Structure formats: structure tokens, C-alpha cells
Amino acid sequence: MRFCEANRACRGWGGTWIVLLALLPLPALAQQPSAPHIGYVYPAGGQRGTEIDVTVGGQRLWGAWGAHVSGEGVTVSDVEHQGVTGRIQYKHVREIQRLIIDHVKRRVEAMPPGSRPRLPDGFFSRAGQPPEEPVELPDHPLIQDLDKRTLEELREISEWFRDRKNLEPPQRAIAETVSLRVTIAADAEPGLREIRVITGRGPSVPIPFYVDRHPEIREVELNDSRAMEREPLVPPVVINGQIGPGDVDRFRIRAEEGDRLVLRAQARELVPYLADAVPGWFQAVVAVYDESGQEVAYVDDFRHRPDPALLFEAPRPGEYEVMIRDSIYRGREDFVYRLSIAEGPFITSVYPAGGTEGKLVSSEVDGWNLPSDRIQLDTDPGGAVIRPVALSAPSGSSNAVPVAVSSLPETEEAEPNGSPDDAQLVQLPLTINGRIEAPGDEDVYRFGGQAGDRIIAEVTARRLDSPLDSVVYLVNPSGEVIAWNDDFKDPAHGLVTHHADSYVSAELPADGMYCLRIADAQARGGSDFTYRLRVGPPQPSFELRAVPSSLAIPAGGAGVLEVHAHRIDGFEGPIELRLTDAPEGFRIDGGVIPPGTDRVNITVSAPRPEGSRIAAIEIQGQAQVDGQTVARPVVAADDMMQAFIYHHLVPRMELVTMVLGDNRAPFPEIAHDAPIDLPVGGRAEVVVDLPGRGVVDGIHFELRDPPTGVSLVDVRREPAKVTLVLACDAARDESFSGNIIADAYIQNPIRDDDGNPTGRTRKVPLGSLPAIAARIAG
């Protein structure tokens, strides 16, 4: 982890609203709807051993003064808020056209009379008179270094700015920009980092940033039609670019006959989801053309993954043109890409795609430019169930691919096993590694069971980047299908949009030999259609996610985390949450996910820090499963919207907190040890102790997303104490066990431009009280 305080030791604490709230009896706001947001970073990566200037686009970034980087070897300095930098406005177009015509005029007049190009009549008069007041032009790459452009380029630039689609207002979510200076250490490990911008309101959501070992360039407009006139690039190289509306980026590369170049685009990988676009991400396509303009390679994805990748084998020595664009010619500032072109290794499949924890596993590996056909899997105890592996070569590391680790014994399928007559006999419980090796192929496994046995059959394939869209059938001794499943959603995998893995849970009706059949739902197949099939009795467990991944906490107060529990194989027990790594004085309240509950709000409180205000914390969940203590990490995540409607919990590298303000008062305390019992149709009182504070006049309270039918009906204020009176509607017929969150706020008078009261007020959030554990008997 790296935390960078740019330009001054502690900027941002003195914002007007924080100064005001520091005088109030309660601490400043912990987590607001108006938290800073990042929509893109450009360029979205860099070569190790370099310093680069990058631009972050987002919303509510004013007062940005620092950055936090998750991962080693990358630091940030010179953070500066650039304000709202929308697209070109009409007033700018007139001035840009005048400047271009002026450049053309000076060029033409400097030419010998016989070599001057023919221009339309009245061309120079179109420039008009300079404006009475100077027009400040935006910092746009097309209007930089106009004196170095050719006449043809100046004509194309003029046409570009006259196109109305380039004059649209910016999307509000990415309208603000912040500039950063990023330094990448020479020994930085290639791979993913995450950058958060730090403002007076707290840390922003993170955005991916990649470190690479190869040289990097940025696209230079205009590059949509003039690629063949520029100097060719020599691989290996990483190209960084942005796609505008209708934009097509082209680049020349030089290749020798037989070169095996891997072209890999990162687009959706950089911005996983777009809330206001269909299908919900930048869908890049890549093509390669020879010197005659003939298309020799094209790709618009890699199997089920939206980001394209292809192996291009140069048929002859020479220069080739590489093109990248959006599949339907959309574009805007957050359509950012990284296009890697290199003779490096690329893994397309691993088999088996996992192994038993703690056992040595060497798997077959297939792909392009690989230094070996075997790969050693990471099966060390204590790690994640799904973990990445990669191959190293002199030309660089391969792409990372996921493999899985389990606690069960494992085996591999044995052909032939394509029908009940030659079904492979297996002993449960077991994880079977197999492949649907050809279109229409089916694998069949046979096992013995007794009446009343609960059998789980779970496929892990798409979650391991296999193209398999599995379907599983459980067949009884008479040959009848008693249970089957095609797709089963795993909410813990927020980057998967087609949950193509199957999950069957069934009780066996009688003693006998049963069969499990697995196939591809679309009758496809191949050597890369790998799967892992877990078969046996239930293995109750759980996975945990916490939203948001960036949390602002007022000193002496609390911020709110929403913890999601993904319950596995019927596990319904309570889960206790505890801090396992946090600065001294941090604590959580409401840290129990009640039995059968999938989501709960908890609060994280923090004292005034003695050192850095930025800290990554770790939370763990523990539960009793079959008499054993099972512990799982709470993985930081963000709730991201896709295409206006779908929501996904996207995992992040770490949970980052920032403590706001200098309040030294003790934490508020709920004056009840046990959960509050709120009767249906009745009321309950919640006493909150406020040590070191007087009567909290002028401060209002409201419930955040309360259970249906629950409301706050009264607040009684006393010195160093406040009592909240909760009521439950008599019509409520559902039980509830969980936490209730109460937020504090003030009504701030709104004044006109002359400072006079308007009679209207604005709600200013102050923060949250500790989580209130409550029960309702439905």
C-alpha cells in the first residue's frame, strides 16, 4: 500500500462544511451519497521505471489533495483538481476555426506561388475578426502544436470540431478531472493496482491501474485515418487510448514473417461496468490489415470475455495496421483502453483447473507462445478458494488465469464415459476434473446413494474462465431425471455477467446407483471446455462482501458498511464479524449477521488518529459449522450498476478508511447490551449515551433504509443522552433480526446571492449513530 499526500501536508480538512460541523456536538459525516467518485483513469497503466502524468475523471472530486494506491511500487504526487472539463463548446469552435484558418494562411503565404494549394473562394475570410474578449480554449490534444500539423491534418481537425456529436455536454459522472503524477518503481511487479483520489470528504471509489514491463505510448489524434503515414511501432509495445463517438484508432506496426504477436485489449477490465450504457461496458473490437488494406485478422472478444485477444502470425515481413474501436461506434472519455502487442505468452486453458489444498498439482497448460506445456498450481493452505496462476518467460509473464482449490479428494474423468452404460464409477465426496472435449460430448458419472441422502452437484467452470455453459442432470436408477440445473447465480463473483455454472441440490428418494450427466447447454465443446464438478453431501459455508470499499469515518463517530453474506449449501447460522487488522481504537458495532439473513448494516467507529488518516482495515466473519469454527475474510466490494438496471458486487483489493476531523469526544454508545425487541403494533425506546456532549438541540435524526413498517416517531434530548422512539406498524407480518441505522443531520439555511435568508433549508448529514441491534417478531 502507498499513501501519497500531495502538495501540502494535510490539505482538504479546512473545507467550509467541515469547519462548520467541527463546532457541532456530533462528528462530521461518515459516509454520504455525495462521496467522491472515479469513472476512469487515463492512461490506465504505465511501464515500470517511469513517471507519467495521468488524468482521473469523476464526480465530486473538488478539494482533491492526495491519492491512495493499493499495491506496492506505485506512488502518486502533484494532485491537482482541474474542475469540470466538458467537451468543446460552440464558442470554442469559432475560435478554433479562426486559429486553424490563420495557420493555413501563414503556411500558404510562405509557399512559392506556383506550389500553393487551391483553396475554396473566400476561405481566408471565414476566419472573421478576433473576439473582443479572449476565449480561453480547453486543453484538448487536437489543438496542441497546430504549427506542426500538415495542411491535410489541419483540414481534418477543422472538420472534427464542426461535427456536432463532439460538442455534446460531458456525462456528469465523469465531468470533473484531477491530474496526477504517477511514479512506477523500476522493480514494481507487473499487474493490477488500484488508485483512489483523496478529498476532504474522504477517499473515492478505486479505479484499476496496471503496471507493465513493456514500453508504452499514448494515441495521438488524428489517428483514425492516417496510421499508415506515421512511423511504425515495433513490438513489444502497450498502446493507451480513448475512444470518442464514432472514433476509430489505427496504428502501424512492423513485423517479420512468422512473428507470433499476441494482441490483447483491456477495456472492460479497466471500467467493469457503465451504469448508463448498453451492454454496460466499452465493447472493443480489434482488427489487423496488411499493406494493401486487406483485413487479415479480426476479434471482438475472447470466448465469453468482452475484452478481445488474438494470436496474429505475420504471413510476410512488412508493416501492418492495427485498428481498435467500439463495436457500435460509441465513445466518450471513459472508453479507455490498453492494447498490448507482443510476442509474449498467453494462456488459453489449464487442466486440471485446480487441486486439493496442500497437495502438489502440475497441470497441462495450453495457449500461445508458452515456454512450457505444464504449470505448477498454487495449492498452499489458507489462501482463497479461487486464485490466479501465470507462466513466466524471458519475454514477460503470461496473463493470469484462475484455478480453484478444495478440501475434497480429487480425480479426473476417464474416457469413455459418455453414456450410462460406460459411466465412470466414483466414490463420494469428490471433486471431478473433466472436459467436454467435442461438440455434443457428455460425461456421465455413477455413484451409490441411500434414501434420504442430500446430494450436491456443483460445477465450477465459467468462474474459472472456461467457455463451458454447463447443464447437469441427476438420474435415478430407473433412468428418470429427478433434478437438473443449467445456470446458477453466484453473487460473490460480481464480474461474471452470465452465470453459466450449474448447481443441483436434491434428496435421493431411494437406495441405489445414481448417475450425473454433464454437458454443454449449447452442445459446444473442445479441449478448453474444462470443468470441476463437486459431488457429495452438503458442505455448509459462506462468503462475505462489504460495501463500499472506501469509507469515510468522522473522528469519534461511525461510518456504515453493508455486509453481504453468500450462504453456501444451506448454511443458515449466525456469522460474527470482528476486526482483525485496524489501527488502535477502531471498533465495529452490530457485528452479527443473524441466522438466515443475507445482508446487514454495521458501523465502523474510529478515534482521532495520531498518525495517518488513511488506513486499510480487515474484517473477518466466523461461524460454527458442524461443530467447527469456520472463518472467512470480508472482501471489500462496490455495488456497481450495469446498463441502467443490473447491480453487481465488484470485489476490490482492500477496504480503505479515512478519518475526518479532529473530534476527541468519546464514541456514542447504545445503552443496551441485548438487541431491542420491537413489538408489531408497538414501540421501543433506544437510549444513546453521548459522553462529553450537551443537549443536542438543532440536530435531527432519521432511519436509514429501515425494515418495512418501522419508523422513528419521537426523539427526546437530554444532556449527554438522546432517546430514539421506534414504532412498528401493526400490519407488518414478517419477522426481522438485524441492525437499524440512525443518521443525524441539520437543516442549513439557504441564502441568496446577497446573503439574505430565502426561507428554505438544505439537509446537511452529520454522521451515523452506532448500529442498533433489533428484533421484530412477525
Side-chain angles (χ1 to χ4, degrees):
M1 295 176 290
R2 288 290 183 270
F3 172 62
C4 312
E5 297 189 355
N7 302 332
R8 50 186 181 269
C10 193
R11 291 174 64 176
W13 309 115
T16 302
W17 70 276
I18 289 190
V19 171
L20 170 64
L21 298 182
L23 304 176
L24 296 174
L26 288 181
L29 173 66
Q31 186 69 22
Q32 315 176 50
S34 56
H37 168 77
I38 294 180
Y40 71 91
V41 59
Y42 178 73
Q47 183 185 15
R48 60 184 184 178
T50 62
E51 277 192 358
I52 59 174
D53 293 322
V54 308
T55 298
V56 169
Q59 190 176 15
R60 298 180 294 273
L61 299 177
W62 53 266
W65 57 270
H68 177 87
V69 181
S70 300
E72 300 293 331
V74 177
T75 57
V76 176
S77 61
D78 299 338
V79 178
E80 185 174 350
H81 185 256
Q82 301 293 329
V84 177
T85 57
R87 293 179 181 159
I88 301 297
Q89 301 175 18
Y90 287 101
K91 66 177 181 180
H92 298 141
V93 173
R94 291 191 296 270
E95 180 63 7
I96 290 170
Q97 298 295 348
R98 191 187 67 80
L99 289 176
I100 291 175
I101 291 173
D102 183 62
H103 274 278
V104 173
K105 181 178 180 180
R106 286 189 280 110
R107 298 274 187 84
V108 171
E109 289 178 346
M111 295 178 179
S115 62
R116 294 176 180 176
R118 180 178 178 81
L119 298 172
D121 294 338
F123 176 81
F124 294 122
S125 63
R126 299 178 187 176
Q129 297 298 318
E132 295 182 2
E133 296 184 4
V135 176
E136 184 177 351
L137 297 178
D139 184 18
H140 195 284
L142 285 183
I143 57 178
Q144 296 174 358
D145 301 323
L146 288 178
D147 56 332
K148 298 179 181 179
R149 302 283 190 174
T150 65
L151 291 177
E152 178 61 19
E153 286 177 328
L154 290 173
R155 182 192 65 79
E156 293 183 5
I157 292 172
S158 175
E159 291 179 357
W160 191 91
F161 283 113
R162 294 173 65 183
D163 191 335
R164 293 177 63 90
K165 71 185 179 186
N166 296 316
L167 307 182
E168 298 172 357
Q171 299 292 326
R172 177 180 296 181
I174 54 174
E176 292 180 60
T177 59
V178 174
S179 61
L180 315 172
R181 170 60 62 90
V182 176
T183 301
I184 307 172
D187 60 351
E189 285 294 322
L192 173 65
R193 309 295 191 275
E194 288 178 345
I195 294 179
R196 291 170 169 86
V197 170
I198 305 300
T199 76
R201 299 182 177 196
S204 71
V205 297
I207 197 75
F209 184 88
Y210 283 84
V211 175
D212 205 290
R213 67 178 71 241
H214 297 315
E216 305 216 0
I217 68 162
R218 301 189 199 190
E219 63 156 333
V220 179
E221 297 287 2
L222 300 156
N223 64 339
D224 53 353
S225 61
R226 309 183 64 83
M228 298 308 285
E229 298 179 15
R230 301 183 187 277
E231 284 297 316
L233 303 173
V234 178
V237 65
V238 178
I239 303 168
N240 294 277
Q242 289 173 291
I243 294 293
D247 197 6
V248 178
D249 287 352
R250 302 176 188 272
F251 308 91
R252 281 169 69 204
I253 63 170
R254 188 184 302 279
E256 299 299 325
E257 182 177 354
D259 282 355
R260 293 169 52 86
L261 296 176
V262 175
L263 282 71
R264 180 189 175 205
Q266 293 172 286
R268 193 233 174 181
E269 196 171 343
L270 306 178
V271 182
Y273 294 109
L274 299 173
D276 56 349
V278 177
W281 51 77
F282 165 25
Q283 180 62 67
V285 299
V286 172
V288 181
Y289 302 87
D290 63 18
E291 290 179 299
S292 67
Q294 181 73 28
E295 181 181 283
V296 293
Y298 174 90
V299 66
D300 61 0
D301 56 21
F302 179 68
R303 297 176 180 155
H304 60 280
R305 297 175 67 91
D307 286 344
L310 66 84
L311 174 65
F312 171 62
E313 297 189 56
R316 62 185 66 86
E319 295 178 1
Y320 296 85
E321 180 182 281
V322 177
M323 178 276 294
I324 182 171
R325 60 171 173 84
D326 180 69
S327 61
I328 54 176
Y329 295 94
R330 303 165 302 162
R332 63 188 193 194
E333 290 84 350
D334 52 356
F335 279 46
V336 176
Y337 66 83
R338 287 170 59 78
L339 178 59
S340 171
I341 307 174
E343 276 197 292
F346 188 90
I347 297 175
T348 58
S349 68
V350 173
Y351 180 78
T356 302
E357 185 178 63
K359 291 194 174 182
L360 187 66
V361 178
S362 175
S363 294
E364 302 173 18
V365 60
D366 197 8
W368 310 324
N369 303 334
L370 300 183
S372 171
D373 59 1
R374 309 290 301 182
I375 188 170
Q376 187 80 29
L377 302 191
D378 172 17
T379 59
D380 292 343
V385 173
I386 294 181
R387 54 189 71 174
V389 295
L391 277 174
S392 295
S395 57
S397 296
S398 73
N399 56 312
V401 294
V403 297
V405 176
S406 78
S407 60
L408 297 179
E410 304 217 353
T411 191
E412 295 183 25
E413 68 159 319
E415 295 283 3
N417 66 339
S419 70
D421 293 336
D422 53 19
Q424 181 177 342
L425 181 64
V426 294
Q427 186 72 35
L428 307 187
L430 188 69
T431 296
I432 305 168
N433 293 281
R435 288 189 274 212
I436 302 300
E437 296 191 84
D441 185 20
E442 183 176 85
D443 292 341
V444 185
Y445 302 97
R446 187 161 55 99
F447 65 92
Q450 296 181 332
D453 286 352
R454 171 68 57 179
I455 292 296
I456 304 293
E458 181 185 22
V459 175
T460 306
R462 185 58 57 90
R463 287 169 287 182
L464 300 179
D465 281 354
S466 169
L468 177 69
D469 179 2
S470 66
V471 58
V472 169
Y473 302 92
L474 176 60
V475 182
N476 69 11
S478 301
E480 299 170 327
V481 175
I482 61 173
W484 72 281
N485 181 255
D486 179 5
D487 296 341
F488 180 79
K489 183 176 181 179
D490 183 349
H493 290 262
L495 292 174
V496 176
T497 54
H498 178 195
H499 290 265
D501 291 341
S502 306
Y503 182 92
V504 169
S505 175
E507 183 177 303
L508 302 184
D511 296 353
M513 298 301 293
Y514 290 80
C515 283
L516 275 171
R517 295 162 38 204
I518 178 173
D520 185 84
Q522 302 174 53
R524 301 174 305 156
S527 61
D528 50 350
F529 281 63
T530 60
Y531 63 83
R532 288 169 59 81
L533 175 61
R534 172 173 68 95
V535 189
Q539 290 188 296
S541 187
F542 58 92
E543 292 189 57
L544 301 170
R545 300 290 184 266
V547 176
S549 69
S550 302
L551 184 66
I553 307 172
V560 179
L561 282 177
E562 185 178 69
V563 180
H564 295 252
H566 171 45
R567 297 177 178 272
I568 299 171
D569 284 5
F571 172 69
E572 295 292 334
I575 304 170
E576 296 185 1
L577 305 173
R578 63 188 185 94
L579 285 169
T580 55
D581 187 10
E584 184 177 357
F586 274 61
R587 80 172 194 199
I588 61 175
D589 289 283
V592 175
I593 304 176
T597 303
D598 296 330
R599 182 176 62 181
V600 69
N601 284 331
I602 68 171
T603 52
V604 181
S605 301
R608 179 184 181 275
E610 298 300 328
S612 174
R613 295 179 180 271
I614 308 293
I617 66 172
E618 295 180 5
I619 304 174
Q620 185 184 80
Q622 288 189 351
Q624 293 297 310
V625 179
D626 295 335
Q628 301 291 322
T629 299
V630 175
R632 294 288 184 266
V634 177
V635 177
D638 286 303
D639 185 344
M640 299 190 72
M641 180 186 288
Q642 172 202 354
F644 303 98
I645 187 170
Y646 304 107
H647 284 262
H648 306 273
L649 296 182
V650 176
R652 305 298 195 181
M653 294 177 66
E654 56 184 357
L655 173 55
V656 175
T657 65
M658 176 176 173
V659 181
L660 304 179
D662 295 312
N663 179 33
R664 295 178 180 272
F667 295 150
E669 300 281 354
I670 304 298
H672 313 273
D673 292 332
I676 302 298
D677 286 311
L678 180 57
V680 173
R683 298 187 176 192
E685 295 186 354
V686 180
V687 178
V688 184
D689 292 328
L690 305 174
R693 298 171 175 89
V695 178
V696 289
D697 287 334
I699 295 182
H700 307 275
F701 296 89
E702 63 183 358
L703 303 184
R704 177 188 299 198
D705 191 23
T708 302
V710 175
S711 59
L712 176 62
V713 295
D714 191 21
V715 177
R716 298 199 301 270
R717 299 170 175 82
E718 304 173 59
K721 182 184 297 185
V722 64
T723 300
L724 308 180
V725 181
L726 306 180
C728 182
D729 195 313
R732 180 183 175 93
D733 60 0
E734 295 180 357
S735 61
F736 169 82
S737 181
N739 296 329
I740 295 175
I741 303 297
D743 294 329
Y745 67 95
I746 62 170
Q747 294 288 359
N748 207 22
I750 298 176
R751 300 180 181 274
D752 60 23
D753 294 340
D754 297 325
N756 301 314
T758 63
R760 295 178 291 117
T761 60
R762 177 185 295 110
K763 182 186 292 187
V764 178
L766 302 182
S768 302
L769 296 175
I772 303 166
R775 293 183 299 218
I776 302 173

